[in-house]
Amino acid sequence: MRLLVARCEVLYTGRLTARLPEAVRLLMFKADGSFLVHDDAGGFRPLNWMTPPAVVEEGEDRIVVRKRAGKSEDRLEIRVTELLSDVTHDMGESAALQKDGVERHLQEELAARPNALGQGLQLVRREWPTDIGPVDLMCRDESGEWIAVEVKRTGTIDAVEQLTRYLERIEISGCRGVLAAQTIKPQARTLAESRGIRCVEVDLAVLRGEREPDLTLFAE
């Protein structure tokens, strides 16, 4: 990645024309062919950018970034009046962002402890294939009935719709659905229950044994 800090003026032409007046800005050239213009305000969004693949042409005091956009061309022309810094860093191979607590971790823990989803539940297979994508967990209950489990960090209406489509594709008569998530939105719960889908809220820390489950007191 190349990071260039310069006092410059930026002119964009393409679907419209826009100009950034002369100021100190950060120009970012990424290895994937994208280009971004930042300043020290306005949050994380770039002031202007070009998505890959972009062509970069450099002159003595001018940088031109071009990209075809259908029959027209998007063009950024940067006029550099003062170069303050120009460094290039080898970032190595790209590694996807990994977050603790997302669906993959929940799926792993629930696959190891399917009883957390219901007494007597046993895992048959993870990533059960359908023609529109895999079901996270396929299980059977104590009576041998099939249960398709969709695991989400947050249970939303979209998650209910996704599980509904899977249930329509699973060629097993009487297969029921379970939506498992750390939190389930009230609207999603209402929709799921109207479709016969059971909702289960699970706590990743409890599944991992990192803390005890909350106790529920029942009054007579």
Side-chain angles (χ1 to χ4, degrees):
M1 179 184 292
R2 181 186 177 193
L3 303 174
L4 193 153
V5 179
R7 180 173 294 278
C8 60
E9 177 186 58
V10 182
L11 176 66
Y12 167 77
T13 54
R15 290 159 291 179
L16 49 84
T17 298
R19 175 179 170 273
L20 295 174
E22 184 177 309
V24 175
R25 297 194 174 87
L26 168 65
L27 309 180
M28 183 182 297
F29 305 79
K30 298 180 70 174
D32 64 0
S34 55
F35 174 80
L36 303 94
V37 180
H38 286 274
D39 67 2
D40 204 20
F44 63 91
R45 296 185 182 278
L47 298 173
N48 219 322
W49 66 92
M50 200 76 79
T51 56
V55 177
V56 178
E57 301 169 349
E58 293 191 54
E60 185 175 344
D61 61 353
R62 194 172 302 271
I63 301 171
V64 177
V65 183
R66 299 183 293 107
K67 180 183 177 178
R68 295 296 302 175
K71 295 181 179 179
S72 61
E73 180 181 73
D74 287 338
R75 178 185 177 96
L76 280 172
E77 186 171 343
I78 301 98
R79 183 176 64 87
V80 179
T81 57
E82 183 181 5
L83 180 61
L84 302 175
S85 175
D86 187 354
V87 296
T88 301
H89 298 279
D90 183 359
M91 306 291 287
E93 292 187 10
S94 176
L97 176 66
Q98 294 185 352
K99 296 181 180 179
D100 191 25
V102 295
E103 290 89 10
R104 181 171 61 84
H105 298 91
L106 285 170
Q107 186 185 132
E108 290 170 354
E109 296 298 330
L110 290 172
R113 301 165 184 81
N115 269 332
L117 299 172
Q119 186 65 34
L121 223 60
Q122 293 186 343
L123 178 70
V124 176
R125 178 174 173 174
R126 291 179 60 184
E127 304 293 336
W128 181 280
T130 76
D131 59 352
I132 58 171
V135 178
D136 290 332
L137 306 175
M138 186 64 84
C139 304
R140 300 188 85 163
D141 63 15
E142 290 178 314
S143 61
E145 298 295 323
W146 289 86
I147 311 291
V149 182
E150 182 63 23
V151 182
K152 296 292 185 186
R153 184 175 188 176
T154 302
T156 63
I157 287 177
D158 286 345
V160 177
E161 296 288 1
Q162 181 180 355
L163 180 52
T164 300
R165 291 192 294 271
Y166 286 152
L167 291 170
E168 291 171 350
R169 299 300 198 281
I170 295 172
E171 297 179 353
I172 298 175
S173 178
C175 182
R176 292 176 284 125
V178 170
L179 174 61
Q182 292 193 119
T183 58
I184 298 176
K185 300 290 186 181
Q187 302 92 330
R189 186 181 296 274
T190 298
L191 179 62
E193 291 174 352
S194 72
R195 296 181 178 180
I197 294 173
R198 188 163 58 90
C199 294
V200 180
E201 289 192 345
V202 291
D203 188 319
L204 185 59
V206 172
L207 290 172
R208 287 174 167 172
E210 296 172 352
R211 74 175 184 83
E212 292 297 319
D214 296 330
L215 296 178
T216 301
L217 299 179
F218 295 91
E220 293 292 339

